[in-house]
């Protein structure tokens, strides 16, 4: 990957200090049914139109933290979330907020590509139709697929089953499906961990392009990936947010000793 | 010592082989017995029933006592009518129940529903016939196809609900996650993604339910009652194949006995065809 992030960090940081915050997380705690705290009181701000990576060893709570940002943890009965996630200065956990609307604006891409067992076209059109984006549905499908860098590969087989695509194509279709709804934020939960290196590279390129328009928060266990694609990196360890800093500062001169040990490969 | 001998046929080794063969055979044996009984039944049905098969048998209605000839078309169509009406009642309810069982899992309503459905499966089917007799036949002063359809629905709904529930549980949870993450309400995720992707299995569940009720006789005795004429009126008595078998086999006429065997053979063939088409469909369903 050629695109470095040294220049980006210096430009993002001053903006970041101002009101260019997409999401502000305050004292977030997520507790499972068995009482285990998967996420212990973390707070950080996510810059707008940039890539924020969350790294950490397996089981550190990074996926749980990510899924708390569009209330996906609620699919698991018994999960309890406290603290605030401010989106446009409104707490998405406010009792008046409908989680369905939250997810409409904060989309998600999962670890394993999970296209619907429908046609490629329907994969994108289905949710768009439910949200009333019905005029020029064909255009919407095309532009979403173009943004996801998939159009040229699938334009002649839109009616074919999405399950006939390769893993990497399926994952880009899932990204297209998500951006068709014009979300502000896209959460990505280890989106390349099930893919081969070539598909991984194409998804990383795509993420690089997408951040012009979207705010991206990505969980990855691949530190090199975080280094390649993100402006900000958060390091989590057993539910705690150990360090949150611009990516190249975190990787070059981490402040916390645990971060340093992790990124130099001494554990995890 | 044992290691050195391991390639030689010792007495010990032959004994082990014999034991192995014996246990393998004792596992297969029950299967062979069941299969043999099934084949015997089929052979007997074909031998006794196929004589009744002629165009008249399939195309004309029953003849009165003592009159030669006639067929069972009123019974065939009556059975199909009852099965169609039972499907109209059972399929939507079974879908609603199975979706509730999954969506409201671990809640009081789901547990209650599950208990009701499994209790219904244990009720002898004639009880449903008696219930529908007192609920519908007596107040309306007429036996009817509708009362029969509702009676067999009591049998079909629990079977189909339980099977659809299992089928829906097989749908990868990632489909639901994907739909929910797109800001789609849960019920739309259910109707738009999960139910459609379980469709082959749902059709199979319905087929199993139909096969289950096709041969039910007891619930029809006080509801459909039987009708020697061709009737497709839901509010009137209607004939059905199991009823014809029941009536004819108790009669003193050789001709009617033959027709009863023929009807039994046809019923078995119909259920067999239904079951085969289900398993063929399931094989064609995309593996995922």
């Amino acid at each position: 990957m050629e695109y470095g992030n040294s220049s980006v960090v210096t430009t993002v940081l001053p903006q970041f200090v101002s009101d260019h915050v997409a999401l502000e997380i305050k004292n977030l705690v997520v507790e499972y049914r068995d009482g285990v705290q998967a996420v212990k009181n973390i707070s950080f701000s996510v810059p707008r139109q940039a890539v924020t990576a969350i790294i950490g060893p397996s089981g550190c709570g990074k996926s749980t933290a990510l899924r708390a940002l569009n209330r996906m943890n609620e699919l698991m009965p018994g999960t309890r979330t406290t603290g605030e996630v401010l989106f446009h200065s409104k707490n998405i956990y406010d009792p008046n907020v409908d989680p369905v609307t939250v997810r409409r604006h904060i989309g998600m891409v999962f670890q394993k590509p999970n296209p619907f067992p429908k046609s490629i076209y329907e994969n994108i059109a289905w949710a768009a139709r439910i949200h009333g984006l019905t005029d020029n549905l064909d255009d919407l499908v095309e532009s979403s697929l173009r943004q996801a860098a998939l159009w040229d590969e699938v334009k002649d087989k839109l009616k074919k089953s999405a399950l006939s695509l390769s893993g990497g194509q399926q994952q880009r279709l899932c990204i297209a499906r998500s951006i068709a709804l014009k979300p502000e934020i896209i959460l990505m939960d280890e989106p390349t961990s099930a893919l081969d290196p070539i598909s991984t590279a194409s998804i990383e390129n795509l993420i690089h392009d997408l951040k012009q328009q979207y705010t991206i928060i990505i969980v990855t266990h691949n530190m090199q990936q975080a280094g390649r694609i993100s402006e900000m990196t958060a390091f989590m360890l057993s539910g705690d947010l150990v360090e949150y800093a611009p990516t190249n500062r975190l990787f070059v001169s981490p402040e916390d000793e645990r971060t340093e040990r992790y990124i130099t490969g001494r554990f995890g | 010592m044992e290691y050195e001998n391991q390639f030689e046929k010792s007495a010990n080794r032959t004994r082990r082989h014999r034991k192995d063969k014996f246990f393998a055979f004792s596992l297969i044996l029950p299967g062979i017995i069941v299969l043999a009984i099934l084949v015997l039944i089929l052979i007997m049905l074909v031998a006794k029933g196929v004589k009744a098969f002629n165009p008249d048998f399939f195309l004309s209605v029953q003849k009165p006592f003592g009159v030669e000839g006639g067929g069972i078309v009123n019974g065939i169509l009556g059975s199909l009518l009852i099965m169609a009406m039972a499907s109209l009642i059972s399929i939507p309810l079974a879908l609603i129940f199975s979706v509730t069982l999954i969506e409201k899992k671990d809640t009081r309503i789901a547990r209650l529903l599950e208990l009701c459905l499994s209790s219904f499966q244990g009720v002898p089917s004639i009880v449903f016939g008696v219930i529908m007799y007192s609920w519908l036949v007596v107040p309306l002063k007429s036996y009817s196809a509708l009362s029969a359809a509702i009676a067999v629905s009591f049998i079909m709904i629990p079977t189909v609900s339980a099977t659809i529930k299992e089928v829906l549980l097989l749908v990868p949870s990632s489909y639901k996650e994907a739909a929910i993450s797109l800001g789609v309400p849960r019920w739309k995720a259910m109707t738009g993604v999960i139910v459609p992707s379980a469709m082959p299995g749902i059709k199979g569940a319905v087929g199993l339910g139909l096969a289950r009720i096709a041969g039910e006789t007891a619930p029809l005795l006080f509801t459909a009652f039987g009708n020697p004429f061709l009737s497709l009126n839901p509010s009137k008595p209607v004939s059905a194949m199991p009823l014809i078998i029941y009536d004819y086999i108790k009669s003193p006429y050789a001709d009617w006995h033959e027709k009863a065997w023929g009807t039994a053979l046809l019923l078995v063939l119909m259920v067999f065809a239904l079951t085969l088409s289900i398993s063929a469909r399931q094989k064609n369903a995309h593996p995922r």
Side-chain angles (χ1 to χ4, degrees), chain A residues 3-24:
Chain A
Y3 43 87
N5 43 38
S6 49
S7 62
V8 185
V9 167
T10 46
T11 51
V12 164
L13 263 185
Q15 293 174 338
F16 183 34
V17 179
S18 74
D19 64 350
H20 278 67
V21 172
L23 212 54
E24 187 157 8

Side-chain angles (χ1 to χ4, degrees), chain A residues 1 3 167-169 171-172 191-207 220 222 225 228-229:
Chain A
M1 262 358 73
Y3 43 87
Q169 291 173 323
Q171 194 62 301
R172 276 179 282 152
T192 62
S193 64
L195 303 180
D196 62 85
I198 293 171
S199 305
T200 300
S202 74
I203 300 271
E204 286 184 8
N205 277 320
L206 176 57
I207 291 172
T220 173
N222 181 334
Q225 182 171 63
R228 284 194 296 266
I229 61 176

Side-chain angles (χ1 to χ4, degrees), chain B residues 82-105:
Chain B
I82 293 172
M83 283 162 75
M85 286 164 65
S87 299
L88 283 181
I89 299 167
S90 305
I91 296 171
L93 284 174
L95 267 175
I96 292 171
F97 289 163
S98 50
V99 167
T100 310
L101 285 179
I102 287 179
E103 279 292 302
K104 300 276 170 201
K105 197 175 75 178

Side-chain angles (χ1 to χ4, degrees), chain A residues 53-258:
Chain A
I54 306 178
I55 61 169
S58 303
C60 70
K62 54 192 192 299
S63 283
T64 311
L66 187 79
R67 294 165 69 93
L69 305 184
N70 68 345
R71 297 183 64 168
M72 283 299 282
N73 284 328
E74 284 163 36
L75 287 189
M76 267 184 293
T79 313
R80 230 166 53 91
T81 308
T82 52
E84 291 185 333
V85 176
L86 297 175
F87 178 55
H88 291 287
S89 51
K90 177 116 184 122
N91 180 14
I92 64 168
Y93 282 95
D94 190 286
N96 303 323
V97 171
D98 180 6
V100 172
T101 334
V102 170
R103 298 182 195 120
R104 160 84 176 76
H105 296 286
I106 307 180
M108 191 157 203
V109 176
F110 297 85
Q111 187 170 358
K112 264 180 73 184
N114 56 356
F116 300 128
K118 299 173 183 284
S119 69
I120 295 168
Y121 183 94
E122 271 305 307
N123 256 279
I124 296 168
W126 180 69
R129 231 181 262 127
I130 289 175
H131 290 299
L133 306 169
T134 41
D135 24 295
N136 297 326
L137 207 50
D138 291 355
D139 294 345
L140 180 68
V141 170
E142 181 177 340
S143 68
S144 309
L145 285 170
R146 276 189 196 283
Q147 276 195 69
L150 190 59
W151 175 251
D152 291 328
E153 289 158 65
V154 301
K155 63 181 176 209
D156 298 321
K157 48 177 183 180
L158 292 175
K159 297 280 169 236
K160 279 230 178 120
S161 166
L163 302 181
S164 66
L165 298 174
S166 75
Q169 291 173 323
Q170 288 188 5
Q171 194 62 301
R172 276 179 282 152
L173 179 64
C174 292
I175 294 174
R177 177 174 72 183
S178 183
I179 57 187
L181 305 180
K182 311 260 185 310
E184 281 180 50
I185 302 174
I186 303 175
L187 309 175
M188 297 187 177
D189 189 357
E190 304 194 20
T192 62
S193 64
L195 303 180
D196 62 85
I198 293 171
S199 305
T200 300
S202 74
I203 300 271
E204 286 184 8
N205 277 320
L206 176 57
I207 291 172
H208 183 71
D209 294 338
L210 288 177
K211 73 177 175 203
Q212 315 301 325
Q213 281 185 56
Y214 306 97
T215 301
I216 292 169
I217 307 175
I218 179 170
V219 160
T220 173
H221 60 219
N222 181 334
M223 283 180 282
Q224 286 75 23
Q225 182 171 63
R228 284 194 296 266
I229 61 176
S230 70
E231 279 74 43
M232 296 293 292
T233 298
F235 171 58
M236 282 184 72
L237 189 61
S238 26
D240 290 313
L241 179 63
V242 173
E243 190 164 352
Y244 179 55
T247 299
N248 67 346
R249 197 208 294 159
L250 187 123
F251 279 103
V252 174
S253 49
E255 280 172 7
D256 196 288
E257 191 211 351
R258 290 169 293 174

Side-chain angles (χ1 to χ4, degrees), chain B residues 89-228:
Chain B
I89 299 167
S90 305
I91 296 171
L93 284 174
L95 267 175
I96 292 171
F97 289 163
S98 50
V99 167
T100 310
L101 285 179
I102 287 179
E103 279 292 302
K104 300 276 170 201
K105 197 175 75 178
D106 293 334
T107 63
R108 196 167 293 167
I109 180 158
R111 276 198 293 265
L112 189 69
L113 187 61
E114 188 116 56
L115 182 70
C116 286
L117 289 173
S118 51
S119 315
F120 266 74
Q121 277 182 311
V123 175
S125 58
I126 195 163
V127 173
F128 298 127
V130 177
I131 289 173
M132 287 325 295
Y133 177 78
S134 61
W135 282 3
L136 261 188
V137 175
V138 172
L140 296 179
K141 297 189 174 65
S142 170
Y143 294 105
S144 61
L146 179 65
S147 60
I150 299 177
V152 292
S153 292
F154 279 112
I155 301 159
M156 188 169 169
I157 291 169
T159 317
V160 178
S161 306
T163 320
I164 294 183
K165 183 195 156 196
E166 295 305 318
V167 169
L168 290 179
L169 282 175
L170 288 180
V171 176
S173 59
S174 61
Y175 292 171
K176 182 175 172 184
E177 267 193 336
I180 299 287
S181 79
L182 292 168
V184 169
R186 284 172 88 117
W187 68 271
K188 280 227 163 126
M190 205 25 126
T191 55
V193 174
I194 299 177
V195 169
S197 57
M199 220 17 137
I202 291 175
K203 285 178 185 160
V206 171
L208 279 179
L210 285 173
R212 172 83 177 71
I213 62 166
E216 278 293 343
T217 320
L220 306 184
L221 291 173
F222 325 112
T223 51
F225 189 69
N227 185 344

